[in-house]
Each structure stands twice: as structure tokens, then as C-alpha cells.
């Protein structure tokens, strides 16, 4: 991963974290719950995306 990809990944994480925390606090939940939910979703999507990227030579012709 180069520097631009890392920065873009961080920007996406930060935007999602802000949105998730904003939504969680607007529904009466805590800030921590919003962060936990976003980080678990973001981590799953990142791991799944990287798994597909790194194994692309096995499923591409």
C-alpha cells in the first residue's frame, strides 16, 4: 500500500467514524457504541477487500 492509498483509507475511516458517531449519539446511544460498530464494519470490509485483492490471481483468468 502506498502513501496515497493509506491516506485515502484513513479519510474514508474518519468520515465513516464521524457519521457513525453522529448517528449513534442522535439515537441516544453512546459515542463508544458508534465507534465500535463502525470499526467492526470497516475492519470487515477492509479485510474482505484485501483478501479479494491479494487472491486475485486465483480467480482471474
Amino acid at each position: 500500500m502506498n502513501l496515497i492509498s493509506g491516506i485515502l483509507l484513513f479519510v474514508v475511516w474518519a468520515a465513516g467514524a464521524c457519521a457513525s458517531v453522529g448517528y449513534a449519539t442522535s439515537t441516544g446511544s453512546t459515542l463508544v457504541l458508534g465507534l465500535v460498530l463502525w470499526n467492526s464494519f470497516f475492519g470487515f470490509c477492509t479485510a474482505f477487500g484485501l483478501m479479494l485483492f491479494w487472491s486475485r490471481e486465483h480467480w482471474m483468468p
Side-chain angles (χ1 to χ4, degrees):
M1 179 181 293
N2 57 18
L3 182 62
I4 299 299
S5 297
I7 291 171
L8 183 64
L9 194 65
F10 178 75
V11 167
V12 170
W13 175 84
C18 289
S20 181
V21 165
Y23 177 74
T25 54
S26 73
T27 59
S29 298
T30 63
L31 176 123
V32 174
L33 181 64
L35 284 175
V36 166
L37 291 176
W38 172 247
N39 284 327
S40 62
F41 174 73
F42 184 76
F44 170 77
C45 290
T46 302
F48 189 74
L50 290 175
M51 176 196 65
L52 289 177
F53 177 75
W54 286 328
S55 67
R56 67 189 181 277
E57 65 270 2
H58 296 293
W59 53 269
M60 289 179 74

